[in-house]
């Protein structure tokens, strides 16, 4: 069974709030309509990490969203790139005058309660044509995040705070380009897990969901370069940077700009995890998640920040720590990842928005989990191989770095 709940993108949305900073922008949920950032390569979308929405270490892209087969479109900026979830989710308010057709069957509308570690995002399922960089996909099942759709059922509202606005989400939407083609797979075809709902009027009840109607990884629906992604980010100094620009590259080992080269590939288990051995502890529930703006792991030997509050406790070592974890997968693949851990209070006070040393413990994480969040992506090319696709002789799902 794939990982449906757990540490997905919204862990990142603690953002600098755990350091005493703000959540999202205070100017409402309006998306700008500037043209999509593009690269000379058609399989590349430009990624920016900057603090205009009051967030740290959140990678953003622009996505052009259209009603299927029409010119009724909106280019939406500040869409979070999330390698830890599946599918495009956009705020209704960010769509402006663009209306997407809702997914319905015989008059019944369908909605989703997308479940993340710090809350949920509620809203109807719809269909859209999507353009990322120079690459497009048609008739993609997406979620429109709308807290006013129908009545949020108690089975959803009880799971945590509602992240249904730009201020709470820290973005105008989430682009899930993780390991999976759909966000629930065969599990939701035959069982209800609190994810999908059928709605008549304002009343919604849990339902199963055919796989072709589930929120879908748009990369899987590209005509080419559709077997995964590479998130390629420049290195960031320990003290951080005001902003950085990188690339979301579509496809793995399909062109010269996404070649695996010397990267070590780590096939995951059935829920998308590998093992990280950190300071002698084997953490079998570990993964790489650009939607987490910190590294989340437990280490009682590292001093916590005095300013920490809420579910995350920032680390505040007296000096920058040079750390490492050994990585291994069930097929025998092994290697290591080096990373730094810096003082969280100093980073929060710096005014920067991109940090390679931001780390914290998280109250809902067990000792067997290491969430390699956005700080680990700086200075690397991280490969995400999608389930059911092959790349360089390897079959997804896998991580590579």
């Amino acid at each position: 069974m794939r990982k449906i709940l757990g540490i997905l993108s919204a862990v990142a949305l603690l953002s600098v709030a755990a350091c005493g900073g703000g959540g999202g922008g205070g100017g409402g949920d309006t998306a700008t309509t500037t043209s999509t950032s593009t690269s000379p390569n058609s399989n590349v979308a430009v990624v920016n990490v900057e603090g205009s929405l009051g967030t740290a270490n959140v990678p953003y892209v622009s996505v052009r969203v259209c009603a299927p087969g029409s010119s009724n479109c909106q280019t939406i900026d500040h869409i979070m790139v999330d390698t830890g979830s599946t599918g495009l989710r956009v705020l209704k308010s960010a769509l402006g005058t663009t209306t997407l057709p809702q997914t319905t069957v015989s008059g019944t509308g369908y909605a989703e309660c997308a479940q993340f570690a710090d809350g949920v995002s509620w809203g109807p399922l719809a269909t859209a044509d999507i353009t990322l960089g120079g690459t497009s996909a048609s008739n993609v099942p997406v979620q429109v995040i709308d807290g006013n759709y129908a009545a949020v059922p108690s089975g959803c509202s009880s799971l945590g705070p509602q992240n249904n606005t730009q201020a709470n989400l820290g973005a105008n939407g989430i682009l899930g380009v993780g390991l999976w083609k759909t966000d629930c797979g065969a599990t939701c075809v035959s069982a209800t897990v609190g994810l999908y709902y059928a709605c008549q009027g304002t009343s919604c009840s849990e339902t199963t969901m055919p796989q072709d109607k589930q929120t879908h990884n748009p990369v899987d629906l590209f005509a080419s370069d559709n077997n995964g992604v590479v998130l390629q980010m420049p290195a960031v100094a320990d003290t951080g940077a005001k902003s950085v620009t990188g690339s979301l590259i579509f496809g793995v080992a399909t062109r010269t700009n996404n070649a695996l080269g010397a990267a070590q590939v780590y096939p995951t288990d059935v829920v998308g995890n590998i093992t990280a051995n950190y300071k002698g502890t084997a953490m079998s529930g570990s993964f790489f998640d650009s939607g987490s703006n910190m590294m989340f792991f437990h280490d009682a030997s590292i001093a916590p920040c005095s300013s920490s509050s809420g579910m995350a406790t920032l680390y505040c070592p007296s000096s920058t720590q040079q750390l490492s974890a050994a990585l291994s997968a069930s097929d025998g693949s092994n290697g290591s990842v080096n990373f730094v851990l810096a003082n969280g209070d100093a980073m929060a006070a710096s005014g920067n928005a991109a940090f390679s040393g931001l780390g914290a413990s998280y109250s809902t994480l067990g000792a067997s989990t290491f969430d390699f969040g956005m700080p680990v992506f700086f200075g690397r090319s991280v490969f995400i191989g999608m389930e059911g696709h092959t790349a360089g002789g390897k079959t997804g799902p896998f991580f590579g770095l």
Side-chain angles (χ1 to χ4, degrees):
M1 176 179 172
R2 72 185 62 212
K3 179 164 49 186
I4 299 170
L5 308 179
I7 306 302
L8 303 180
S9 63
V11 163
L13 309 177
L14 293 164
S15 208
V16 291
C19 315
D29 302 333
T30 302
T32 62
T33 54
T34 55
S35 60
T36 305
S37 298
T38 60
S39 161
N41 294 302
S42 62
N43 69 326
V44 179
V46 175
V47 177
N48 293 303
V49 177
E50 43 81 21
S52 64
L53 296 187
T55 56
N57 277 4
V58 179
Y60 295 117
V61 293
S62 291
V63 182
R64 188 161 181 79
V65 179
C66 302
S70 79
S71 59
N72 182 12
C73 303
Q74 184 83 305
T75 298
I76 306 173
D77 62 15
H78 287 90
I79 299 289
M80 178 196 301
V81 178
D82 182 15
T83 63
S85 69
T86 298
L88 178 65
R89 310 174 193 280
V90 295
L91 291 170
K92 179 183 179 181
S93 53
L95 285 168
T97 58
T98 298
T99 300
L100 303 179
Q102 185 181 356
T103 301
T104 60
V105 177
S106 301
T108 297
Y110 290 93
E112 184 173 10
C113 180
Q115 302 166 24
F116 301 112
D118 74 334
V120 298
S121 290
W122 166 260
L125 299 180
T127 306
D129 293 346
I130 295 170
T131 299
L132 288 159
T135 308
S136 299
S138 300
N139 297 306
V140 180
V142 302
Q143 182 192 23
V144 177
I145 300 173
D146 179 9
N148 295 317
Y149 174 74
V152 181
S154 59
C156 180
S157 60
S158 63
L159 295 174
Q162 297 286 307
N163 291 321
N164 294 329
T165 66
Q166 186 196 73
N168 291 333
L169 198 62
N172 285 318
I174 300 170
L175 175 65
V177 288
L179 300 166
W180 313 111
K181 295 180 180 181
T182 58
D183 69 349
C184 187
T187 299
C188 285
V189 174
S190 58
T192 59
V193 295
L195 193 63
Y196 288 105
Y197 287 79
C199 300
Q200 292 279 1
T202 61
S203 179
C204 301
S205 57
E206 286 188 51
T207 185
T208 57
M209 182 59 60
Q211 202 156 342
D212 64 344
K213 302 293 185 184
Q214 296 176 23
T215 307
H216 203 109
N217 189 330
V219 177
D220 180 54
L221 300 178
F222 291 163
S224 60
D225 303 308
N226 57 9
N227 61 349
V229 299
V230 188
L231 185 53
Q232 190 175 82
M233 300 299 298
V236 173
D238 295 349
T239 53
K242 292 289 186 183
S243 64
V244 296
T245 299
S247 299
L248 178 65
I249 306 173
F250 306 117
V252 176
T254 61
R255 305 193 191 194
T256 55
N257 69 350
N258 58 25
L260 280 164
Q264 177 64 61
V265 171
Y266 302 94
T268 75
D269 62 19
V270 294
V271 293
N273 293 327
I274 61 173
T275 297
N277 193 302
Y278 172 70
K279 293 187 176 180
T281 299
M283 302 176 173
S284 59
S286 301
F287 49 90
F288 289 83
D289 180 7
S290 65
S292 294
N293 71 333
M294 311 179 203
M295 300 171 285
F296 290 100
F297 61 101
H298 290 300
D299 188 337
S301 70
I302 301 174
C305 298
S306 58
S307 63
S308 294
S309 62
M311 299 176 73
T313 301
L314 282 173
Y315 289 124
C316 274
S318 57
S319 61
T320 298
Q321 305 292 300
Q322 304 291 330
L323 302 171
S324 180
L327 304 179
S328 61
S330 57
D331 71 340
S333 301
N334 61 82
S336 63
V337 57
N338 298 320
F339 58 96
V340 299
L341 188 69
N343 186 287
D345 283 344
M347 286 183 282
S350 71
N352 289 326
F355 302 101
S356 60
L358 190 61
S361 63
Y362 196 71
S363 61
T364 61
L365 282 183
S368 64
T369 298
F370 199 126
D371 177 355
F372 292 99
M374 191 61 198
V376 181
F377 286 74
F378 291 120
R380 288 187 172 89
S381 295
V382 178
F383 297 82
I384 307 296
M386 199 186 310
E387 64 166 328
H389 290 280
T390 59
K394 301 289 186 177
T395 300
F398 67 73
F399 299 114
L401 65 155

